Amino acid sequence: MRVRLSPEEPSLSRSQVVVRGLFERPVGPSRLPPDLRAEDRATQGALGRAWTAVELRGSRKEITTFHRSGPGPGRLVLIGLGAPGRYDAEVARRASAEVVRALAGRGARSVTFALESFLRADAVDEVAAVRAVVDGAGLGSYQFARFKTKAPDAPIEEAVVAVPRPSRAVRAAFREEADLVDVVRWTRDIANLPACDATPARLAREAQALGRSHRLRVRVFDERALARMGCGGILAVGGGSTHPPRMITLEYPGRGRSPPTIAVVGKGITFDSGGISIKPAASMSHMKFDKSGAVAVLGILRAARVLNVRPRVIGVMGCAENLPSGSAYRPGDVVRTYSGRTIEVLNTDAEGRVVLSDALAYAAKNYRPDALIDLATLTGAQSVALGDTIAGMVSTDDALAARLADASARSGEAIWRMPLTDYHRELVRAADFGDVRNSIEIPLAGMLTAAAFLETFTLERPWAHLDIAGVAYTTLSTRKYQPAYLNAGAVGFGVRLLARLLADWDVGAGR
Ligand code: BES
Ligand code: MN
Ligand code: ZN
């Protein structure tokens, strides 16, 4: 899908479809809003008649199509935006995604969004609306169809955002968001790969290819290098698979003199069977998405280069496949990690934190970052607590947490801060034979005890943890309730969020 910003008059566009947002109308009879009168004429009165008949209400997800005659697009699509008082950029993002999805396979290749119909004073200005529509169109039209031998409904090929006199700020926001959407689509393509293709070595090759195309310094640590370095955590988790583990680092140098250093660390379990503490069969296929944090790191590094952000950005991906076998790690094993601290393994299914123990400590020790941020599909408890649209954040640094909250509000990728207390730390440290244990063996505050475990390996750097277990992918059973821009498997969660954080680093939090 291509996106284009155009000063054209939407009703004269060369696209096949012109799209307008429609706010919910008051109950009872009313006159057609003045800004739709021209479209009423173009539809030879059909729009006005539908209005009078209350066929159009403007409620969310309501899509109504009219045929136009004369110059301009042959079709007019009105997409409901709901009550004006409840309108925000997220509504616009979802609405534009609904439209491109509804149009797939319906004989249209190009659509023009009339941006003025998506604005609302005090809630959504031109910059926010442009970003939302680009997100909705670009992400909503995404499909992972690589393995479908029969092509699915053809997606829209071109989305035009029509803005009469785009300001510099609008043009810059458009360019940036269009670039970001490309990066997210690319990220989804990798995160959606099945575990038979996306082995740790394959992720390493993707990183190297990215390094070549986007001038990033990439290093790959194979199992021999990991053994030399003392990365016992990654090696233990990867020990059960014939596809050996890898740790991958990527460096974007940043701009100017002495930029701040931000490290992003991702959990890259290419498949999580649970290992010897094996998972039940139901939904185990979802565990190919257990690499989503590490793949988001690839996307974030790509975004850092494409957006030319000022901070220096370090990516660290901890990649391993968690399988049961004669060489797998077991409950009761004690492993020595890169930091020197030991982990008592009580449950081989709590493997993400074991891999991250090495990756976090490596990033903290070798780069001494000003901010250390990890992304991990870490706990089922995260989705129990916050569901499939809001990621959990745990942070030891209020300023960093505030920056992330700000980036969340601006990007639309929702996060909610969760607490971390000495009680949770104690639970994790109460190990018989190691410094920490990887499971507390009772179903209690699973997201928080996992975070307390990770904190041990952050070596006191300013740190934030994002548990993305519930938000990293959609499944057939939940997809119909979720926003339309999250449509097929991997979401790419965290790329737009962290890209915003990096791009806004100098602006700071709390504007
Ligand atoms: N990858 C899973 C977490 C997960 C669950 C992600 C569901 C996405 C959807 C993680 O490795 C795991 O198995 N966590 C365990 C930890 C427990 C054994 C302490 C969990 O959450 O049950
Ligand atoms: Mn697991
Ligand atoms: Zn896992």
Side-chain angles (χ1 to χ4, degrees):
M1 137 96 66
R2 270 173 298 121
V3 289
R4 202 154 57 73
L5 185 70
S6 165
E8 72 199 18
E9 168 55 44
S11 56
L12 297 176
S13 162
R14 300 235 293 274
S15 296
Q16 288 147 311
V17 184
V18 56
V19 180
R20 288 181 180 273
L22 179 69
F23 287 108
E24 201 163 84
R25 64 195 273 184
V27 224
S30 59
R31 304 270 301 268
L32 188 71
D35 54 335
L36 286 178
R37 278 187 206 141
E39 288 301 289
D40 183 39
R41 287 190 293 278
T43 61
Q44 290 163 325
L47 176 52
R49 288 192 295 277
W51 186 271
T52 308
V54 200
E55 187 183 328
L56 290 167
R57 291 175 313 156
S59 49
R60 286 185 197 167
K61 295 196 186 181
E62 174 192 280
I63 292 179
T64 318
T65 304
F66 295 93
H67 295 99
R68 304 171 86 256
S69 51
R75 272 185 255 175
L76 163 69
V77 164
L78 296 178
I79 172 72
L81 300 177
R86 305 185 67 89
Y87 183 66
D88 60 15
E90 178 64 14
V91 176
R93 192 177 291 114
R94 292 180 188 203
S96 42
E98 292 285 348
V99 171
V100 294
R101 277 178 67 178
L103 287 173
R106 303 291 300 274
R109 281 178 25 259
S110 54
V111 308
T112 290
F113 287 86
L115 196 77
E116 78 249 17
S117 65
F118 290 89
L119 305 177
R120 176 94 199 152
D122 300 333
V124 179
D125 62 11
E126 277 193 339
V127 165
V130 156
R131 285 190 190 278
V133 170
V134 169
D135 284 351
L139 300 177
S141 59
Y142 174 81
Q143 295 177 342
F144 185 73
R146 180 176 312 197
F147 299 117
K148 295 275 194 195
T149 49
K150 184 175 164 292
D153 288 342
I156 297 283
E157 284 164 23
E158 184 186 63
V160 179
V161 183
V163 189
R165 278 167 304 280
S167 64
R168 269 175 88 114
V170 164
R171 277 181 279 136
F174 172 84
R175 195 60 268 151
E176 188 178 80
E177 206 64 26
D179 285 344
L180 268 176
V181 161
D182 281 344
V183 174
V184 173
R185 291 170 63 102
W186 175 82
T187 307
R188 287 180 178 183
D189 275 344
I190 299 175
N192 275 324
L193 288 174
C196 56
D197 292 329
T199 60
R202 166 72 180 272
L203 293 181
R205 285 197 298 277
E206 294 290 347
Q208 281 161 330
L210 177 67
R212 284 189 295 275
S213 62
H214 285 72
R215 287 180 295 129
L216 305 168
R217 178 162 180 207
V218 174
R219 269 183 289 199
V220 175
F221 301 93
D222 65 10
E223 62 274 34
R224 281 181 44 212
L226 290 168
R228 231 181 300 121
M229 292 156 68
C231 290
I234 296 181
L235 286 170
V237 172
S241 172
T242 52
H243 302 293
R246 296 284 183 268
M247 185 167 76
I248 304 152
T249 63
L250 305 97
E251 300 181 27
Y252 164 78
R255 272 192 292 117
R257 270 213 245 143
S258 57
T261 298
I262 318 298
V264 280
V265 176
K267 167 177 172 180
I269 300 299
T270 58
F271 186 73
D272 180 13
S273 70
I276 298 293
S277 315
I278 199 161
K279 287 181 181 296
S283 308
M284 206 200 271
S285 65
H286 300 167
M287 288 301 113
K288 73 167 188 168
F289 296 117
D290 214 22
K291 61 185 178 299
S292 298
V295 178
V297 166
L298 282 178
I300 292 159
L301 267 289
R302 186 175 176 124
R305 172 60 83 193
V306 170
L307 303 190
N308 192 28
V309 302
R310 193 176 77 86
R312 172 180 181 231
V313 187
I314 309 299
V316 181
M317 303 158 63
C319 302
E321 185 173 39
N322 188 21
L323 292 181
S325 80
S327 56
Y329 79 141
R330 339 154 173 70
D333 283 3
V334 180
V335 301
R336 193 174 297 279
T337 65
Y338 181 78
S339 64
R341 296 199 182 130
T342 59
I343 298 171
E344 182 175 350
V345 176
L346 296 181
N347 189 324
T348 63
D349 197 12
E351 83 299 335
R353 63 197 78 180
V354 178
V355 161
L356 289 173
S357 70
D358 286 332
L360 280 168
Y362 182 85
K365 181 153 183 249
N366 293 281
Y367 296 98
R368 300 189 58 75
D370 300 288
L372 174 62
I373 302 168
D374 73 79
L375 297 116
T377 48
L378 204 62
T379 67
Q382 183 278 323
S383 47
V384 174
L386 295 172
D388 53 11
T389 52
I390 306 172
M393 165 169 68
V394 172
S395 180
T396 49
D397 189 277
D398 289 345
L400 179 57
R403 283 180 180 277
L404 278 161
D406 235 57
S408 169
R410 293 199 62 202
S411 65
E413 291 203 300
I415 61 176
W416 193 257
R417 190 173 181 181
M418 304 297 282
L420 181 58
T421 74
D422 283 344
Y423 170 65
H424 304 104
R425 296 181 177 101
E426 253 176 67
L427 284 171
V428 161
R429 282 176 203 155
D432 264 337
F433 305 110
D435 297 332
V436 287
R437 51 178 177 171
N438 80 332
S439 161
I440 64 161
E441 299 188 291
I442 38 172
L444 238 176
M447 178 170 21
L448 312 186
T449 50
F453 178 101
L454 295 183
E455 186 198 16
T456 317
F457 302 94
T458 58
L459 314 184
E460 268 137 48
R461 304 314 300 167
W463 167 65
H465 159 59
L466 297 170
D467 192 334
I468 59 170
V471 297
Y473 58 91
T474 67
T475 64
L476 272 177
S477 55
T478 58
R479 195 166 304 142
K480 67 171 188 257
Y481 310 106
Q482 284 179 295
Y485 57 84
L486 310 176
N487 49 346
V491 163
F493 190 98
V495 174
R496 285 187 301 118
L497 173 72
L498 272 292
R500 225 21 307 131
L501 177 100
L502 294 169
D504 292 348
W505 190 263
D506 292 328
V507 186
R511 275 151 304 143

